[in-house]
């Protein structure tokens, strides 16, 4: 049995497919979402989602490139950008551009959603049309901004690194509650809360609650 491209979720891929269907009038036919690595405190990026699946190789090449990403963010560049894919396509490190051109795409729109610690999710949408100016990209950006809350929830749930209870305990810890106060809030024992927090710390590769909260925020899980 073939698994969905992005995860074991039955919701994420249909959500992406339906979203792109609504953007057909702008000839937008593909999306790549990049995000920070789960257990890496550096600047490396990973492919969070890609649709359609045929763009997977291009998505991996984009994640491994120096295009946009932390350097772009650190430079104070705009959170929203559009480009012609043919621009610098044959320069070193731009294999991802050549791959996207090979799939018939001419333009991209990129929208950044910031996370703590200088990290971010990056949403790239690809169109077979050559956008002439920024007004051509406005409706695409508007669509990204509107769907992002739902899309982010689906991504976090689909990846399933943290259970709902673990996320809840971390979120209340982020609000400043002690383990005892968290237990009173969610109706369980303090021991159970500490159990969930310990599991979250192990999954996130840290050894204290503060670091677990920080890393969960980095990853967009809170």
């Amino acid at each position: 049995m073939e698994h969905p491209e992005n995860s074991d979720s039955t919701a994420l891929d249909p959500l992406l497919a339906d979203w792109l269907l609504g953007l057909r009038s702008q000839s937008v036919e593909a999306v790549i979402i990049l995000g920070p690595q789960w257990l890496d405190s550096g600047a490396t990026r990973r492919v969070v989602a890609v649709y359609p699946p045929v763009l997977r190789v291009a998505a991996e090449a984009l994640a491994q490139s120096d295009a946009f990403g932390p350097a772009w963010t650190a430079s104070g560049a705009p959170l929203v950008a559009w480009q012609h894919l043919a621009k610098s396509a044959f320069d070193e490190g731009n294999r991802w551009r050549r791959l996207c051109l090979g799939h018939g795409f001419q333009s991209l729109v990129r929208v950044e959603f910031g996370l703590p610690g200088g990290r971010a999710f990056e949403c790239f949408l690809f169109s077979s049309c050559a956008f002439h100016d920024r007004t051509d990209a406005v409706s695409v950006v508007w669509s990204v901004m509107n769907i992002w809350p739902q899309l982010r929830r689906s991504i976090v749930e689909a990846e399933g690194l943290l259970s709902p209870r673990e996320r809840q305990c971390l979120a209340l810890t982020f609000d400043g509650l002690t383990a005892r106060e968290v237990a009173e809030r969610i109706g369980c024992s303090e021991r159970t809360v500490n159990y969930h927090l310990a599991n979250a710390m192990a999954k996130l590769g840290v050894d204290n609650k503060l670091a677990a909260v920080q890393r969960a925020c980095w990853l967009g899980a809170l």
Side-chain angles (χ1 to χ4, degrees), residues 105-214:
F105 300 118
Q106 299 296 318
S107 302
L108 73 83
V109 174
R110 182 250 191 199
V111 182
E112 177 180 315
F113 296 93
L115 294 167
R119 293 175 162 224
F121 283 114
E122 299 168 88
C123 185
F124 298 84
L125 288 118
F126 298 86
S127 173
S128 57
C129 289
F131 293 162
H132 297 292
D133 55 51
R134 69 182 61 187
T135 59
D136 292 334
V138 168
S139 61
V140 178
V141 173
W142 181 257
S143 177
V144 176
M145 300 297 288
N146 275 310
I147 199 173
W148 181 248
Q150 181 183 0
L151 192 55
R152 176 169 161 169
R153 284 194 301 271
S154 294
I155 288 169
V156 170
E157 292 170 2
E159 294 191 315
L161 178 65
L162 298 174
S163 72
R165 205 59 154 172
E166 289 161 0
R167 291 204 309 273
Q168 184 182 31
C169 290
L170 285 174
L172 292 172
T173 300
F174 177 82
D175 288 339
L177 276 65
T178 65
R180 177 173 294 181
E181 291 169 335
V182 173
E184 293 173 354
R185 178 74 62 87
I186 66 178
C188 67
S189 69
E190 183 177 353
R191 181 178 179 180
T192 298
V193 170
N194 285 325
Y195 170 78
H196 289 309
L197 290 173
N199 280 346
M201 287 186 283
K203 290 178 180 179
L204 293 168
V206 295
D207 59 6
N208 63 78
K209 292 187 289 186
L210 178 60
V213 168
Q214 180 188 53

Side-chain angles (χ1 to χ4, degrees), residues 22-171:
L23 288 170
R24 282 293 177 88
S25 60
Q26 286 82 30
S27 300
V28 174
E29 300 173 2
V31 57
I32 293 173
I33 301 174
L34 304 184
Q37 292 284 359
W38 276 124
L39 302 178
D40 183 0
S41 59
T44 54
R45 298 180 292 178
R46 66 192 173 94
V47 178
V48 174
V50 54
Y51 198 91
V54 70
L55 216 60
R56 168 62 66 172
V57 175
E60 295 289 354
L62 174 57
Q64 294 165 15
S65 75
D66 294 328
F68 301 101
W72 176 273
T73 300
S75 72
L79 300 180
V80 175
W82 69 271
Q83 290 184 359
H84 292 149
L85 285 165
K87 177 185 178 183
S88 307
F90 294 94
D91 290 353
E92 184 178 355
N94 279 336
R95 175 171 172 260
W96 66 274
R97 290 182 181 272
R98 297 191 293 275
L99 289 168
C100 291
L101 284 168
H103 287 289
F105 300 118
Q106 299 296 318
S107 302
L108 73 83
V109 174
R110 182 250 191 199
V111 182
E112 177 180 315
F113 296 93
L115 294 167
R119 293 175 162 224
F121 283 114
E122 299 168 88
C123 185
F124 298 84
L125 288 118
F126 298 86
S127 173
S128 57
C129 289
F131 293 162
H132 297 292
D133 55 51
R134 69 182 61 187
T135 59
D136 292 334
V138 168
S139 61
V140 178
V141 173
W142 181 257
S143 177
V144 176
M145 300 297 288
N146 275 310
I147 199 173
W148 181 248
Q150 181 183 0
L151 192 55
R152 176 169 161 169
R153 284 194 301 271
S154 294
I155 288 169
V156 170
E157 292 170 2
E159 294 191 315
L161 178 65
L162 298 174
S163 72
R165 205 59 154 172
E166 289 161 0
R167 291 204 309 273
Q168 184 182 31
C169 290
L170 285 174

